[in-house]
Amino acid sequence: MLIDCHTHLDCFPDSEVAEIVDRAARTGVGMIVSAGTTLESSRRSVQLSLSKDLPGLFSGVGIHPMDLVGPVGDAVIAELRDLATAGKVVAISEIGLDFMEGSPDRATQYQAFRAQISLAREVGLPVIFHSREAHAETLRVLREEGGYEVGGAAHYFQGDLEAARQVIDLGFYISLARPLLRLPHLQEAAAGVPLEHIVLETDAAPQPFKARRERWTEPRHVRDVAGKLAELQGTSVEAVEAATTRNALRLFEARRTEIGAYVDLKA
């Protein structure tokens, strides 16, 4: 079984989510996590995960730095807390820092990130973090706020080997996605990271900029990432599948009982 640790399936209509999950299952993907980026999308992710027709779908809740419209206040944290403690929520995700030009005010980003790390520690869930043009600052905040106490993963990692080592040293996993198929520096980094520190994802979301629907990234493509990683590490796809699934289950250890109620962990 493969696990896709990070998607945005909440952005698709219900009927399409079911089809996407079915296509993933046919490639051996037995568990998928849909991450929230706003309160609304966090609610939607939780709602989808509770569908009796989608047993392998789980959710993350959080406010993405690019979706901030102001500080994350007590009322927002209270709703995120309620969402995080109900149903099949396995992570506080997607949160972090983004210093790309045109991003929200940095002071607001810092406040929101710190508040949500604190929430993750309170509810005992890992942090799946976003970091764009903000690697050192993201790790600094995670260190200062004790994010390593709950652990987590560097979402959609695209850094070099030194950046990967910094993430691992702080107690977080490296989460690899489809950029691994095309970025030489990332391939070099992935070849040097021990398998026990890697999880897989697709960051699947609607991609209308691609002319053909069948070319949109979906959770089924996590097998392509596993195949490339196996090639880079000189091992088998089966070894990568076993290791990354084991790592993902450790990442989501706080919800292992709930996961086991819906997913065959021996598959």
Side-chain angles (χ1 to χ4, degrees):
M1 177 181 75
L2 285 162
I3 295 177
D4 187 340
C5 292
H6 191 99
T7 71
H8 297 287
L9 297 193
D10 62 285
C11 297
F12 294 90
D14 287 7
S15 59
E16 200 160 353
V17 171
E19 294 169 358
I20 290 168
V21 171
D22 182 62
R23 284 192 287 270
R26 281 185 258 136
T27 67
V29 180
M31 178 178 170
I32 301 167
V33 180
S34 179
T37 57
T38 63
L39 270 181
E40 182 179 359
S41 73
S42 294
R43 295 185 200 111
R44 165 87 170 141
S45 289
V46 172
Q47 179 188 43
L48 280 172
S49 72
L50 295 176
S51 169
K52 60 182 178 59
D53 298 322
L54 301 169
L57 185 61
F58 294 78
S59 58
V61 298
I63 312 295
H64 191 288
M66 292 297 285
D67 287 298
L68 291 167
V69 294
V72 172
D74 292 344
V76 173
I77 290 296
E79 182 164 359
L80 288 173
R81 181 186 298 112
D82 289 343
L83 289 170
T85 53
K88 296 159 65 182
V89 176
V90 297
I92 301 301
S93 170
E94 177 179 355
I95 68 174
L97 297 176
D98 194 316
F99 292 169
M100 183 178 69
E101 185 177 356
S103 61
D105 172 73
R106 292 190 182 184
T108 299
Q109 290 194 48
Y110 281 119
Q111 183 274 331
F113 191 26
R114 290 181 187 277
Q116 291 179 96
I117 295 170
S118 178
L119 173 64
R121 293 177 60 204
E122 178 187 343
V123 299
L125 291 178
V127 170
I128 311 298
F129 66 87
H130 170 104
S131 176
R132 181 161 50 185
E133 300 183 19
H135 178 74
E137 283 299 280
T138 301
L139 295 188
R140 179 178 70 83
V141 173
L142 284 165
R143 186 178 299 108
E144 290 176 355
E145 296 298 325
Y148 48 82
E149 293 181 7
V150 289
H155 152 63
Y156 214 71
F157 183 81
Q158 296 186 58
D160 59 16
L161 184 55
E162 177 55 30
R165 286 172 174 155
Q166 293 169 2
V167 170
I168 293 165
D169 286 347
L170 196 56
F172 289 78
Y173 287 100
I174 300 299
S175 188
L176 296 173
R178 293 186 87 188
L180 184 66
L181 308 182
R182 58 181 173 79
L183 298 180
H185 79 274
L186 181 57
Q187 293 170 355
E188 182 179 354
V193 175
L195 273 179
E196 60 262 32
H197 298 299
I198 298 174
V199 294
L200 305 178
E201 63 162 285
T202 60
D203 201 28
Q207 296 178 306
F209 54 87
K210 293 182 178 179
R212 292 159 50 194
R213 174 62 182 83
E214 61 269 24
R215 295 181 63 86
W216 289 15
T217 298
E218 292 188 3
R220 62 189 170 92
H221 291 118
V222 80
R223 183 159 292 280
D224 297 337
V225 183
K228 187 63 178 181
L229 183 58
E231 174 192 324
L232 293 167
Q233 297 226 349
T235 188
S236 67
V237 175
E238 291 77 15
V240 168
E241 180 174 351
T244 57
T245 295
R246 182 168 56 249
N247 297 342
L249 292 174
R250 287 174 178 162
L251 172 64
F252 302 130
E253 182 65 35
R255 293 289 187 267
R256 191 174 185 117
T257 299
E258 290 86 344
I259 292 170
Y262 295 96
V263 175
D264 182 0
L265 299 182
K266 297 180 181 178

mmCIF file with all atom_site columns, all heavy atoms in Angstrom, residues 61 70 79 117 142 151 168 171 181 187 198 209 248 259 264:
data_model
loop_
_atom_site.group_PDB
_atom_site.id
_atom_site.type_symbol
_atom_site.label_atom_id
_atom_site.label_alt_id
_atom_site.label_comp_id
_atom_site.label_asym_id
_atom_site.label_entity_id
_atom_site.label_seq_id
_atom_site.pdbx_PDB_ins_code
_atom_site.Cartn_x
_atom_site.Cartn_y
_atom_site.Cartn_z
_atom_site.occupancy
_atom_site.B_iso_or_equiv
_atom_site.pdbx_formal_charge
_atom_site.auth_seq_id
_atom_site.auth_comp_id
_atom_site.auth_asym_id
_atom_site.auth_atom_id
_atom_site.pdbx_PDB_model_num
ATOM 1   N N   . VAL A 1 61  ? -6.268  19.970 8.782   1.00 0.00 ? 61  VAL A N   1
ATOM 2   C CA  . VAL A 1 61  ? -6.946  21.253 8.936   1.00 0.00 ? 61  VAL A CA  1
ATOM 3   C C   . VAL A 1 61  ? -5.913  22.340 9.218   1.00 0.00 ? 61  VAL A C   1
ATOM 4   O O   . VAL A 1 61  ? -4.947  22.117 9.946   1.00 0.00 ? 61  VAL A O   1
ATOM 5   C CB  . VAL A 1 61  ? -8.015  21.223 10.050  1.00 0.00 ? 61  VAL A CB  1
ATOM 6   C CG1 . VAL A 1 61  ? -9.104  20.215 9.715   1.00 0.00 ? 61  VAL A CG1 1
ATOM 7   C CG2 . VAL A 1 61  ? -7.412  20.919 11.415  1.00 0.00 ? 61  VAL A CG2 1
ATOM 8   N N   . GLY A 1 70  ? -5.703  38.181 7.645   1.00 0.00 ? 70  GLY A N   1
ATOM 9   C CA  . GLY A 1 70  ? -5.456  38.888 8.898   1.00 0.00 ? 70  GLY A CA  1
ATOM 10  C C   . GLY A 1 70  ? -4.960  37.896 9.924   1.00 0.00 ? 70  GLY A C   1
ATOM 11  O O   . GLY A 1 70  ? -4.804  36.700 9.626   1.00 0.00 ? 70  GLY A O   1
ATOM 12  N N   . GLU A 1 79  ? -12.300 26.987 16.201  1.00 0.00 ? 79  GLU A N   1
ATOM 13  C CA  . GLU A 1 79  ? -12.946 26.139 15.196  1.00 0.00 ? 79  GLU A CA  1
ATOM 14  C C   . GLU A 1 79  ? -11.984 25.099 14.647  1.00 0.00 ? 79  GLU A C   1
ATOM 15  O O   . GLU A 1 79  ? -12.363 23.943 14.446  1.00 0.00 ? 79  GLU A O   1
ATOM 16  C CB  . GLU A 1 79  ? -13.521 26.978 14.057  1.00 0.00 ? 79  GLU A CB  1
ATOM 17  C CG  . GLU A 1 79  ? -14.225 26.102 13.035  1.00 0.00 ? 79  GLU A CG  1
ATOM 18  C CD  . GLU A 1 79  ? -15.143 26.831 12.095  1.00 0.00 ? 79  GLU A CD  1
ATOM 19  O OE1 . GLU A 1 79  ? -15.280 28.067 12.217  1.00 0.00 ? 79  GLU A OE1 1
ATOM 20  O OE2 . GLU A 1 79  ? -15.730 26.161 11.222  1.00 0.00 ? 79  GLU A OE2 1
ATOM 21  N N   . ILE A 1 117 ? 1.012   26.063 15.190  1.00 0.00 ? 117 ILE A N   1
ATOM 22  C CA  . ILE A 1 117 ? 1.942   25.095 15.783  1.00 0.00 ? 117 ILE A CA  1
ATOM 23  C C   . ILE A 1 117 ? 1.522   24.819 17.223  1.00 0.00 ? 117 ILE A C   1
ATOM 24  O O   . ILE A 1 117 ? 1.522   23.674 17.688  1.00 0.00 ? 117 ILE A O   1
ATOM 25  C CB  . ILE A 1 117 ? 3.386   25.607 15.737  1.00 0.00 ? 117 ILE A CB  1
ATOM 26  C CG1 . ILE A 1 117 ? 3.867   25.749 14.287  1.00 0.00 ? 117 ILE A CG1 1
ATOM 27  C CG2 . ILE A 1 117 ? 4.313   24.658 16.500  1.00 0.00 ? 117 ILE A CG2 1
ATOM 28  C CD1 . ILE A 1 117 ? 5.192   26.480 14.155  1.00 0.00 ? 117 ILE A CD1 1
ATOM 29  N N   . LEU A 1 142 ? 9.543   26.755 13.821  1.00 0.00 ? 142 LEU A N   1
ATOM 30  C CA  . LEU A 1 142 ? 9.206   25.403 14.293  1.00 0.00 ? 142 LEU A CA  1
ATOM 31  C C   . LEU A 1 142 ? 10.044  25.030 15.517  1.00 0.00 ? 142 LEU A C   1
ATOM 32  O O   . LEU A 1 142 ? 9.539   24.421 16.466  1.00 0.00 ? 142 LEU A O   1
ATOM 33  C CB  . LEU A 1 142 ? 9.441   24.387 13.171  1.00 0.00 ? 142 LEU A CB  1
ATOM 34  C CG  . LEU A 1 142 ? 8.383   24.349 12.069  1.00 0.00 ? 142 LEU A CG  1
ATOM 35  C CD1 . LEU A 1 142 ? 8.903   23.599 10.851  1.00 0.00 ? 142 LEU A CD1 1
ATOM 36  C CD2 . LEU A 1 142 ? 7.094   23.712 12.577  1.00 0.00 ? 142 LEU A CD2 1
ATOM 37  N N   . GLY A 1 151 ? 6.296   16.614 15.643  1.00 0.00 ? 151 GLY A N   1
ATOM 38  C CA  . GLY A 1 151 ? 6.840   16.188 14.364  1.00 0.00 ? 151 GLY A CA  1
ATOM 39  C C   . GLY A 1 151 ? 5.984   16.629 13.196  1.00 0.00 ? 151 GLY A C   1
ATOM 40  O O   . GLY A 1 151 ? 5.067   17.440 13.332  1.00 0.00 ? 151 GLY A O   1
ATOM 41  N N   . ILE A 1 168 ? 15.408  17.138 8.660   1.00 0.00 ? 168 ILE A N   1
ATOM 42  C CA  . ILE A 1 168 ? 15.490  15.859 9.371   1.00 0.00 ? 168 ILE A CA  1
ATOM 43  C C   . ILE A 1 168 ? 16.051  16.049 10.775  1.00 0.00 ? 168 ILE A C   1
ATOM 44  O O   . ILE A 1 168 ? 15.562  15.456 11.734  1.00 0.00 ? 168 ILE A O   1
ATOM 45  C CB  . ILE A 1 168 ? 16.352  14.877 8.557   1.00 0.00 ? 168 ILE A CB  1
ATOM 46  C CG1 . ILE A 1 168 ? 15.629  14.512 7.251   1.00 0.00 ? 168 ILE A CG1 1
ATOM 47  C CG2 . ILE A 1 168 ? 16.657  13.626 9.358   1.00 0.00 ? 168 ILE A CG2 1
ATOM 48  C CD1 . ILE A 1 168 ? 16.520  13.840 6.223   1.00 0.00 ? 168 ILE A CD1 1
ATOM 49  N N   . GLY A 1 171 ? 13.632  16.803 13.303  1.00 0.00 ? 171 GLY A N   1
ATOM 50  C CA  . GLY A 1 171 ? 12.681  15.747 13.630  1.00 0.00 ? 171 GLY A CA  1
ATOM 51  C C   . GLY A 1 171 ? 11.509  15.625 12.681  1.00 0.00 ? 171 GLY A C   1
ATOM 52  O O   . GLY A 1 171 ? 10.486  15.025 13.025  1.00 0.00 ? 171 GLY A O   1
ATOM 53  N N   . LEU A 1 181 ? 10.508  14.060 -10.339 1.00 0.00 ? 181 LEU A N   1
ATOM 54  C CA  . LEU A 1 181 ? 10.647  13.478 -11.674 1.00 0.00 ? 181 LEU A CA  1
ATOM 55  C C   . LEU A 1 181 ? 11.442  14.363 -12.624 1.00 0.00 ? 181 LEU A C   1
ATOM 56  O O   . LEU A 1 181 ? 11.908  13.882 -13.663 1.00 0.00 ? 181 LEU A O   1
ATOM 57  C CB  . LEU A 1 181 ? 9.262   13.211 -12.278 1.00 0.00 ? 181 LEU A CB  1
ATOM 58  C CG  . LEU A 1 181 ? 8.271   12.394 -11.436 1.00 0.00 ? 181 LEU A CG  1
ATOM 59  C CD1 . LEU A 1 181 ? 6.977   12.197 -12.208 1.00 0.00 ? 181 LEU A CD1 1
ATOM 60  C CD2 . LEU A 1 181 ? 8.867   11.056 -11.027 1.00 0.00 ? 181 LEU A CD2 1
ATOM 61  N N   . GLN A 1 187 ? 16.649  15.447 -7.234  1.00 0.00 ? 187 GLN A N   1
ATOM 62  C CA  . GLN A 1 187 ? 17.004  14.037 -7.416  1.00 0.00 ? 187 GLN A CA  1
ATOM 63  C C   . GLN A 1 187 ? 18.291  13.713 -6.676  1.00 0.00 ? 187 GLN A C   1
ATOM 64  O O   . GLN A 1 187 ? 18.402  12.669 -6.031  1.00 0.00 ? 187 GLN A O   1
ATOM 65  C CB  . GLN A 1 187 ? 17.126  13.735 -8.908  1.00 0.00 ? 187 GLN A CB  1
ATOM 66  C CG  . GLN A 1 187 ? 15.802  13.825 -9.654  1.00 0.00 ? 187 GLN A CG  1
ATOM 67  C CD  . GLN A 1 187 ? 15.954  13.760 -11.158 1.00 0.00 ? 187 GLN A CD  1
ATOM 68  O OE1 . GLN A 1 187 ? 17.076  13.735 -11.680 1.00 0.00 ? 187 GLN A OE1 1
ATOM 69  N NE2 . GLN A 1 187 ? 14.842  13.757 -11.879 1.00 0.00 ? 187 GLN A NE2 1
ATOM 70  N N   . ILE A 1 198 ? 11.681  9.686  4.621   1.00 0.00 ? 198 ILE A N   1
ATOM 71  C CA  . ILE A 1 198 ? 10.918  10.168 3.463   1.00 0.00 ? 198 ILE A CA  1
ATOM 72  C C   . ILE A 1 198 ? 9.477   9.674  3.482   1.00 0.00 ? 198 ILE A C   1
ATOM 73  O O   . ILE A 1 198 ? 9.212   8.506  3.772   1.00 0.00 ? 198 ILE A O   1
ATOM 74  C CB  . ILE A 1 198 ? 11.592  9.708  2.145   1.00 0.00 ? 198 ILE A CB  1
ATOM 75  C CG1 . ILE A 1 198 ? 13.005  10.289 2.031   1.00 0.00 ? 198 ILE A CG1 1
ATOM 76  C CG2 . ILE A 1 198 ? 10.752  10.109 0.936   1.00 0.00 ? 198 ILE A CG2 1
ATOM 77  C CD1 . ILE A 1 198 ? 13.787  9.766  0.836   1.00 0.00 ? 198 ILE A CD1 1
ATOM 78  N N   . PHE A 1 209 ? -5.108  24.728 -16.060 1.00 0.00 ? 209 PHE A N   1
ATOM 79  C CA  . PHE A 1 209 ? -4.122  25.257 -17.002 1.00 0.00 ? 209 PHE A CA  1
ATOM 80  C C   . PHE A 1 209 ? -3.556  24.158 -17.905 1.00 0.00 ? 209 PHE A C   1
ATOM 81  O O   . PHE A 1 209 ? -2.894  24.448 -18.900 1.00 0.00 ? 209 PHE A O   1
ATOM 82  C CB  . PHE A 1 209 ? -2.984  25.963 -16.255 1.00 0.00 ? 209 PHE A CB  1
ATOM 83  C CG  . PHE A 1 209 ? -2.327  25.120 -15.193 1.00 0.00 ? 209 PHE A CG  1
ATOM 84  C CD1 . PHE A 1 209 ? -1.285  24.268 -15.507 1.00 0.00 ? 209 PHE A CD1 1
ATOM 85  C CD2 . PHE A 1 209 ? -2.769  25.188 -13.875 1.00 0.00 ? 209 PHE A CD2 1
ATOM 86  C CE1 . PHE A 1 209 ? -0.675  23.499 -14.524 1.00 0.00 ? 209 PHE A CE1 1
ATOM 87  C CE2 . PHE A 1 209 ? -2.166  24.405 -12.884 1.00 0.00 ? 209 PHE A CE2 1
ATOM 88  C CZ  . PHE A 1 209 ? -1.125  23.561 -13.214 1.00 0.00 ? 209 PHE A CZ  1
ATOM 89  N N   . ALA A 1 248 ? 4.889   7.080  6.971   1.00 0.00 ? 248 ALA A N   1
ATOM 90  C CA  . ALA A 1 248 ? 3.646   7.853  7.035   1.00 0.00 ? 248 ALA A CA  1
ATOM 91  C C   . ALA A 1 248 ? 2.801   7.433  8.222   1.00 0.00 ? 248 ALA A C   1
ATOM 92  O O   . ALA A 1 248 ? 2.187   8.280  8.898   1.00 0.00 ? 248 ALA A O   1
ATOM 93  C CB  . ALA A 1 248 ? 2.866   7.689  5.736   1.00 0.00 ? 248 ALA A CB  1
ATOM 94  N N   . ILE A 1 259 ? -6.995  5.244  11.852  1.00 0.00 ? 259 ILE A N   1
ATOM 95  C CA  . ILE A 1 259 ? -6.585  4.832  10.507  1.00 0.00 ? 259 ILE A CA  1
ATOM 96  C C   . ILE A 1 259 ? -6.836  3.338  10.321  1.00 0.00 ? 259 ILE A C   1
ATOM 97  O O   . ILE A 1 259 ? -7.373  2.903  9.300   1.00 0.00 ? 259 ILE A O   1
ATOM 98  C CB  . ILE A 1 259 ? -5.105  5.176  10.262  1.00 0.00 ? 259 ILE A CB  1
ATOM 99  C CG1 . ILE A 1 259 ? -4.920  6.698  10.210  1.00 0.00 ? 259 ILE A CG1 1
ATOM 100 C CG2 . ILE A 1 259 ? -4.604  4.545  8.960   1.00 0.00 ? 259 ILE A CG2 1
ATOM 101 C CD1 . ILE A 1 259 ? -3.473  7.139  10.220  1.00 0.00 ? 259 ILE A CD1 1
ATOM 102 N N   . ASP A 1 264 ? -6.654  -1.155 5.683   1.00 0.00 ? 264 ASP A N   1
ATOM 103 C CA  . ASP A 1 264 ? -5.963  -2.401 5.977   1.00 0.00 ? 264 ASP A CA  1
ATOM 104 C C   . ASP A 1 264 ? -4.474  -2.107 6.062   1.00 0.00 ? 264 ASP A C   1
ATOM 105 O O   . ASP A 1 264 ? -3.790  -1.957 5.044   1.00 0.00 ? 264 ASP A O   1
ATOM 106 C CB  . ASP A 1 264 ? -6.240  -3.435 4.876   1.00 0.00 ? 264 ASP A CB  1
ATOM 107 C CG  . ASP A 1 264 ? -5.575  -4.770 5.159   1.00 0.00 ? 264 ASP A CG  1
ATOM 108 O OD1 . ASP A 1 264 ? -4.909  -4.905 6.194   1.00 0.00 ? 264 ASP A OD1 1
ATOM 109 O OD2 . ASP A 1 264 ? -5.704  -5.681 4.309   1.00 0.00 ? 264 ASP A OD2 1
#
